[in-house]
Amino acid sequence: MRTTRTLAATATAVAALGLAAPVAAARDGMPPVGPSNIVALPSVIARGGQLTITVDGCPQGGTATSDAFKPTSLTPVGGSSTAKGTATIDRNARPGAHSITVQCTGFSRPLTHPNAFTVIGGVRGGLGGSTSTGATPTDMAIGGGLIAVAVVGGAVFWMRRRAEKRI
């Protein structure tokens, strides 16, 4: 029984290796076929943010374009066939999904990644919905009224305490 299990496991491993070896040999023996994978990080980004673009199969670098940012240069990374670049999302980019098209140097065929990243609308954080600066006349009136009530209340309390001591 143990021999059968060992033989089955060995046969499975040899079959998997036998199927993977021709693909690996063909890939190593052939020149690169051009861009094959575009990764944009982060995948959700606000206007004005920095987007990192990584492309496989682009050993000499190239250019990445989109309707959400200006054309960006891609530079080779080390001795690999990967290229990388950083794009700045335009301040007026429309919210929603955007695609990236990459043209690698030395290759005639561009590669497009549809819906590669999503632009979200800008947020005016920390303002609490306010559009004015400083205190408005209404704020001043409310503050003045609260101070007046505090002064009158303090005076009444003080006068009552003085009256109690005389008795």
Side-chain angles (χ1 to χ4, degrees):
M1 186 84 125
R2 289 185 183 171
T3 307
T4 306
R5 286 184 187 165
T6 305
L7 185 60
T10 305
T12 303
V14 168
L17 184 61
L19 291 174
V23 173
R27 176 99 171 124
D28 290 340
M30 301 285 290
V33 294
S36 60
N37 187 29
I38 301 172
V39 177
L41 293 175
S43 61
V44 177
I45 189 166
R47 297 172 185 154
Q50 298 283 318
L51 183 71
T52 301
I53 304 163
T54 306
V55 182
D56 293 333
C58 202
Q60 298 174 356
T63 304
T65 57
S66 175
D67 60 344
F69 57 81
K70 293 179 175 63
T72 301
S73 296
L74 302 173
T75 57
V77 177
S80 67
S81 64
T82 302
K84 194 177 219 181
T86 303
T88 302
I89 304 300
D90 293 335
R91 294 276 181 198
N92 59 353
R94 69 168 172 74
H98 294 272
S99 62
I100 297 175
T101 300
V102 172
Q103 179 66 52
C104 291
T105 304
F107 297 100
S108 61
R109 182 182 59 93
L111 178 67
T112 300
H113 184 301
N115 302 328
F117 64 97
T118 302
V119 174
I120 57 174
V123 178
R124 296 185 66 185
L127 296 179
S130 173
T131 58
S132 66
T133 58
T136 63
T138 304
D139 295 336
M140 297 297 285
I142 292 171
L146 289 173
I147 290 173
V149 168
V151 168
V152 169
V156 168
F157 178 74
W158 184 62
M159 293 299 280
R160 289 192 63 194
R161 294 285 292 177
R162 276 187 71 193
E164 288 176 2
K165 287 184 179 181
R166 289 189 189 174
I167 297 180

